[in-house]
Amino acid sequence: MPKSTQAHIHVVTKPGEELEFYVKDSLKGNELFDLVCRVIGLRESYYFGLYYEKPNKTQCWLRMDKKLRNELGGEINTVKLYLRVEFYPEDVEQGLILNITQQLFFIHVKNEILNENIYCPAGEAVLMAAFAVQAKYGDFDEELRHKDFLLDEQLLPKRVKNMYQLTDEQWVERIKSLYADHPTGLSRAEAEMEYLKIAQDLEMYGTGYYLIQNDKQTELWLGIQATGINIYSYENKLVPKVSFIWSEIKNISFKNTQILIEPMGKDVQSFCFISNDVSMNREILLLCSGNHELYLKRRKPDSLELQVMKLQANELKGERQREKKRYMKEKQRSTELEKRFKEFQTTLEKYQTHLKKAEETSDLLAEKALISEEEARLLLKKASDLETEVKRLRAALNQKDEERFFLETHIQSAGLTIQQILQESEIRSREARLLKQELDQSRNLEWLASERLLQLSANQRLASQMNTQPISNFYDDEANDKIKYLQRERVEYLEKSHHLQQQLTELKTQIEGLKITGSQDMLDRIHLENVVKGETKYSTLQKLHAASTNSRVQVYQGL
């Protein structure tokens, strides 16, 4: 019996996240898988498996019942194992309980779509890309609208981009437009779930395809999924020719290159698939057995562990909803404070402008008052000089009688001039008094504007403090209105989710005229035919299951 040696195992759990384990090479696959799940905290482990690539480039699942040295051989220290989704729930919203499970599913399905392992039409691809951006960046910010932060990211399958006459910038603008329409507060988990809910309606979602033959050696595709097995023609992986649900299948076994299917019922004949690769047959059997087991498990009462997980998930979901409500409430308050702050700023600028004008008016009036006072002083001095001249002339009149007549005439003229000067002096004095009154009023207005400015500054500081301190009673009066606002927003979001199909139709209409002629492949044409007929993968399966099991077996054998 060979001795156990130390092995260096690399396990990639998600893009950019790789775990290293030093374990014995005698460790079994299920023991390594349990160790990986414990390290990352994955409890819904029944959906996952470890995937790796053999030296001959064949990809396969790590067998859980085999020792690592027997399964990986000489490549044990160099090969990378990948934690991947192996089994899918029938409905993602009901089947995925914990956040980490949902996140790993989202990453896996997104990569499958972008790598074109799952066929995705253009409209759905753009719609899902907007939810992927929401999950990564959170709520849309207007500052992001004119930035090229999405140009370096792979958001769409290359096949979709090559089908239309649109540049990368134009694709990004369409994605941004849908991203901006998302309701405020859509969390990462909610955005991921919206993505998965759209993805699970794609025809190839959750299906593992294997090349097989029937008894007539016709090449066909065997599709294994959560609800049963489908048989597809070689050219068409979208629309199955035959379908069997797990409740119709009693037993599956294989011998050499044959996989034998034993249906329920005594009168129903068994049938087989033929494959040229025995290792592939083993993988088909394990995938069928695992899906069949989960199918039956979902139809039984939940185990105690599952009940506990659902209870914890519901509590966590409730707490997230409460946190979301608190966040929305605080965001609304913050928006109101920001609005009030802007109003304060506008009013402050207005009063600053008024104050500046008042100061300029005060300066002008003061200057005019000084000029009027100076003019009045000069006129008074001129009147005084003239009065002195009159006294001198009167004295001269007493001395010179012969000049009396001339002097009297001159005196009368000087008296009139003095009267005019005194009247003008009085007018200037009144103007000076009026200007002083206007100056006093202007200074009073300036004082009032300064007081108002100080009051606004105090209000502004109070508004700033309200961002960090408890909200005052002013906002308590509006609490009921805000709650009604949040409830109304939630209703609007629910209504919007019901109209995703309408949004998708509008998007397809917008880009239909930009389609490049001849760029469609076989799957595109098949999908378009189904859309025209109004068929979905669910309606197709429903029609197939309507026929008896025996008739479906005969259809398969006749392909």
Side-chain angles (χ1 to χ4, degrees):
M1 186 174 181
K3 292 183 179 180
S4 297
T5 58
Q6 196 83 350
H8 186 196
I9 306 295
H10 300 260
V11 180
V12 179
T13 55
K14 62 176 71 169
E17 186 175 295
E18 183 175 320
L19 304 178
E20 295 185 21
F21 298 94
Y22 291 90
V23 296
K24 293 181 179 180
D25 61 2
S26 59
L27 200 70
K28 289 187 176 181
N30 60 343
E31 294 173 322
L32 175 63
F33 179 69
D34 291 341
L35 179 60
V36 172
C37 292
R38 284 199 303 273
V39 169
I40 66 173
L42 178 61
R43 296 176 65 184
E44 294 173 274
S45 57
Y46 38 80
Y47 289 126
F48 299 86
L50 293 175
Y51 206 71
Y52 71 100
E53 188 177 274
K54 291 183 177 180
N56 61 0
K57 303 301 181 182
T58 303
Q59 295 180 335
C60 58
W61 295 99
L62 181 71
R63 294 183 63 182
M64 296 298 176
D65 58 339
K66 296 292 183 180
K67 293 180 180 179
L68 295 178
R69 62 167 172 251
N70 296 335
E71 182 77 358
L72 303 177
E75 307 296 325
I76 190 170
N77 289 316
T78 57
V79 70
K80 279 189 179 181
L81 299 172
Y82 295 86
L83 181 70
R84 290 185 58 179
V85 174
E86 187 173 7
F87 304 103
Y88 293 77
E90 294 177 47
D91 180 79
V92 289
E93 197 166 19
Q94 299 296 325
L96 304 181
I97 301 171
L98 302 178
N99 263 3
I100 184 173
T101 315
Q102 177 181 301
Q103 186 182 4
L104 290 172
F105 258 83
F106 167 74
I107 293 172
H108 172 79
V109 173
K110 181 162 72 77
N111 287 336
E112 288 291 282
I113 290 173
L114 294 179
N115 294 333
E116 302 184 25
N117 295 324
I118 297 176
Y119 171 79
C120 183
E124 284 82 351
V126 175
L127 198 61
M128 294 163 69
F131 282 114
V133 173
Q134 175 81 33
K136 183 173 182 179
Y137 293 98
D139 287 341
F140 180 80
D141 189 337
E142 280 296 333
E143 293 182 1
L144 300 176
R145 187 178 291 277
H146 304 294
K147 293 184 179 180
D148 298 331
F149 68 106
L150 296 179
L151 282 177
D152 297 331
E153 298 191 28
Q154 185 184 0
L155 300 173
L156 300 171
K158 290 182 179 178
R159 177 189 57 80
V160 170
K161 296 171 69 174
N162 293 335
M163 283 177 59
Y164 296 88
Q165 297 174 346
L166 289 170
T167 64
D168 290 344
E169 290 81 4
Q170 290 171 323
W171 281 117
V172 166
E173 283 306 312
R174 278 170 167 75
I175 293 171
K176 277 185 184 179
S177 178
L178 293 171
Y179 173 32
D181 285 341
H182 290 165
T184 303
L186 188 65
S187 68
R188 174 180 179 175
E190 289 170 332
E192 290 174 347
M193 181 52 68
E194 291 298 326
Y195 185 102
L196 291 173
K197 282 159 65 175
I198 298 172
Q200 73 177 353
D201 291 338
L202 302 177
E203 291 90 343
M204 293 178 66
Y205 166 86
T207 304
Y209 292 91
Y210 297 89
L211 192 61
I212 59 166
Q213 295 178 349
N214 59 6
D215 290 337
K216 296 172 66 175
Q217 295 186 340
T218 304
E219 287 195 329
L220 304 165
W221 288 106
L222 170 66
I224 306 171
Q225 53 184 223
T227 55
I229 58 176
N230 299 332
I231 312 298
Y232 302 83
S233 64
Y234 185 77
E235 299 83 10
N236 183 358
K237 284 185 175 182
L238 297 185
V239 184
K241 295 290 186 181
V242 186
S243 179
F244 302 91
I245 57 177
W246 293 119
S247 58
E248 296 178 301
I249 298 174
K250 181 179 180 180
N251 188 42
I252 303 175
S253 60
F254 81 95
K255 183 177 181 180
N256 297 327
T257 59
Q258 289 189 337
I259 301 172
L260 183 65
I261 307 295
E262 184 182 351
M264 291 285 190
K266 296 180 180 179
D267 299 332
V268 184
Q269 58 180 330
S270 300
F271 59 99
C272 68
F273 307 129
I274 301 172
S275 171
N276 294 326
D277 189 345
V278 176
S279 63
M280 184 184 295
N281 288 351
R282 184 179 291 109
E283 187 170 320
I284 291 173
L285 179 63
L286 291 174
L287 195 58
C288 287
S289 300
N291 274 297
H292 185 264
E293 182 181 347
L294 288 174
Y295 180 87
L296 297 177
K297 184 179 178 181
R298 286 191 290 268
R299 282 149 181 81
K300 294 178 181 178
D302 292 340
S303 65
L304 182 60
E305 182 184 6
L306 199 58
Q307 291 179 35
V308 171
M309 277 197 291
K310 286 185 176 180
L311 180 62
Q312 291 174 343
N314 288 334
E315 290 176 352
L316 185 60
K317 186 176 180 181
E319 179 60 29
R320 285 201 301 267
Q321 289 296 327
R322 289 189 291 273
E323 284 291 334
K324 183 177 179 179
K325 287 181 181 179
R326 285 195 289 268
Y327 165 76
M328 293 299 295
K329 188 175 181 180
E330 290 302 322
K331 186 169 184 179
Q332 178 65 17
R333 288 176 174 175
S334 177
T335 303
E336 290 176 358
L337 287 174
E338 186 176 352
K339 181 180 178 181
R340 289 181 176 276
F341 179 72
K342 288 181 179 179
E343 290 175 355
F344 284 143
Q345 279 188 322
T346 302
T347 308
L348 182 62
E349 290 172 359
K350 179 180 177 182
Y351 276 96
Q352 283 177 335
T353 302
H354 289 171
L355 179 60
K356 185 177 180 181
K357 289 182 178 179
E359 289 175 347
E360 291 174 353
T361 303
S362 298
D363 292 342
L364 182 60
L365 290 173
E367 184 178 351
K368 285 185 176 181
L370 288 174
I371 293 172
S372 296
E373 286 179 357
E374 181 64 23
E375 288 178 348
R377 187 181 65 78
L378 291 173
L379 289 172
L380 287 173
K381 183 177 182 299
K382 189 175 181 181
S384 177
D385 291 344
L386 287 172
E387 189 175 355
T388 302
E389 179 66 15
V390 169
K391 288 179 180 179
R392 187 184 65 77
L393 290 173
R394 281 178 178 171
L397 181 62
N398 293 329
Q399 295 175 3
K400 297 180 179 181
D401 292 334
E402 65 274 13
E403 296 178 1
R404 182 176 179 178
F405 178 76
F406 173 77
L407 289 175
E408 284 181 353
T409 302
H410 190 68
I411 288 169
Q412 289 177 358
S413 177
L416 291 173
T417 303
I418 290 170
Q419 187 66 28
Q420 290 175 355
I421 290 172
L422 289 173
Q423 289 177 355
E424 189 174 352
S425 177
E426 181 64 25
I427 290 171
R428 294 299 181 185
S429 297
R430 284 200 300 271
E431 285 182 359
R433 287 195 297 272
L434 289 173
L435 287 172
K436 284 183 179 180
Q437 290 176 2
E438 289 183 13
L439 178 60
D440 292 339
Q441 291 176 358
S442 175
R443 285 172 177 167
N444 287 334
L445 288 174
E446 182 180 349
W447 179 80
L448 289 174
S450 300
E451 288 295 315
R452 181 57 177 166
L453 182 62
L454 291 173
Q455 183 181 357
L456 286 171
S457 300
N459 289 339
Q460 185 177 349
R461 289 194 297 273
L462 178 60
S464 301
Q465 292 171 1
M466 288 170 73
N467 282 318
T468 57
Q469 295 178 359
I471 305 301
S472 67
N473 294 331
F474 175 81
Y475 294 104
D476 293 336
D477 295 336
E478 301 176 359
N480 292 331
D481 292 337
K482 293 173 187 174
I483 292 172
K484 290 178 182 178
Y485 167 80
L486 292 174
Q487 291 173 342
R488 186 166 60 254
E489 186 175 272
R490 180 60 179 165
V491 169
E492 289 173 357
Y493 169 57
L494 291 174
E495 290 176 353
K496 183 177 179 181
S497 67
H498 291 310
H499 290 86
L500 273 179
Q501 190 61 40
Q502 181 180 353
Q503 192 177 27
L504 182 60
T505 303
E506 292 174 357
L507 179 61
K508 288 180 178 178
T509 304
Q510 292 173 6
I511 63 176
E512 185 62 30
L514 300 171
K515 188 177 292 183
I516 300 173
T517 305
S519 62
Q520 292 178 307
D521 60 15
M522 179 67 73
L523 294 181
D524 290 316
R525 289 191 288 273
I526 294 171
H527 174 74
L528 183 58
E529 289 174 4
N530 286 344
V531 171
V532 172
K533 294 176 183 177
E535 296 286 351
T536 66
K537 76 172 186 178
Y538 305 108
S539 61
T540 301
L541 291 175
Q542 187 176 9
K543 289 179 181 179
L544 292 176
H545 294 155
S548 66
T549 307
N550 257 336
S551 63
R552 280 177 276 153
V553 172
Q554 291 173 5
V555 170
Y556 161 67
Q557 292 175 338
L559 291 174

